[in-house]
């Protein structure tokens, strides 16, 4: 059985190391490959997953929205966000699309900074995905009227230039800083 990730550029991805580790830990016999595809090859690649013994894929930039037109069944969360980051090949040979980005981000935020909902102020989430504006619907602030949120989508190159040189002041509470790349 084979799994993997598609995107472009993607050769730098740490996903194979991460997923291979967890597959070994969970005793899942599978390989996890990188598939760097050009946009005009996506349809053909997805149509032939079963023939290649690929049972699932992660999708990353810039194809999270693009793959949606080739998927048979898309969960509501992915439809709401306008992006799919996980494809499963069903036993019926249909492609099922999901989005776990918001769930994963919220789990990380709740574990790393569990009191964030009780704070006052403004939260700005910076992302490099075209559907960033839709993320608002999946970012609950509870009933806290003192907490405001905004979302900013920027191009990947600008994102990397912005994030790399950040030097936090000595008095910064790093528990409030969540940096996902």
């Amino acid at each position: 059985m084979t799994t993997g990730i598609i995107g472009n550029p993607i050769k730098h991805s740490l996903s194979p190391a991460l997923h291979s580790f967890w597959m070994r830990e969970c005793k899942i016999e599978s390989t996890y490959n990188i598939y760097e595809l050009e946009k005009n090859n996506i349809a053909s690649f997805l149509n032939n997953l079963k023939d290649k013994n690929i049972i699932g894929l992660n999708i990353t930039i810039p194809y999270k929205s693009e793959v949606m037109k080739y998927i048979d069944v898309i969960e509501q969360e992915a439809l709401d966000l306008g992006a799919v980051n996980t494809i499963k090949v069903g036993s019926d040979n249909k492609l099922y699309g999901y989005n776990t980005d918001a769930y994963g981000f919220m789990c990380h935020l709740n574990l790393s900074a569990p009191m964030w909902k009780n704070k006052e102020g403004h939260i700005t989430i910076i992302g490099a995905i075209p559907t960033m504006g839709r993320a608002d619907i999946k970012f609950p602030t509870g009933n806290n009227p003192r907490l405001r949120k905004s979302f900013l989508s920027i191009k990947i190159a600008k994102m990397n230039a912005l994030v790399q040189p950040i030097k936090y002041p000595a008095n910064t509470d790093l528990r409030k800083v969540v940096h996902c790349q």
Side-chain angles (χ1 to χ4, degrees), residues 52-69:
K52 295 175 182 168
N53 199 30
I54 297 173
I55 63 163
L57 291 169
N58 295 122
I59 314 300
T60 193
I61 295 171
Y63 299 137
K64 290 184 178 189
S65 296
E66 179 67 24
V67 298
M68 293 178 76
K69 56 184 146 187

Side-chain angles (χ1 to χ4, degrees), residues 66-98:
E66 179 67 24
V67 298
M68 293 178 76
K69 56 184 146 187
Y70 308 111
I71 296 174
D72 301 302
V73 181
I74 301 174
E75 71 158 350
Q76 190 61 49
E77 180 139 343
L79 290 170
D80 291 346
L81 290 170
V84 163
N85 75 341
T86 305
I87 296 175
K88 176 180 95 172
V89 179
S91 58
D92 55 2
N93 288 333
K94 289 184 179 180
L95 299 183
Y96 292 83
Y98 308 92

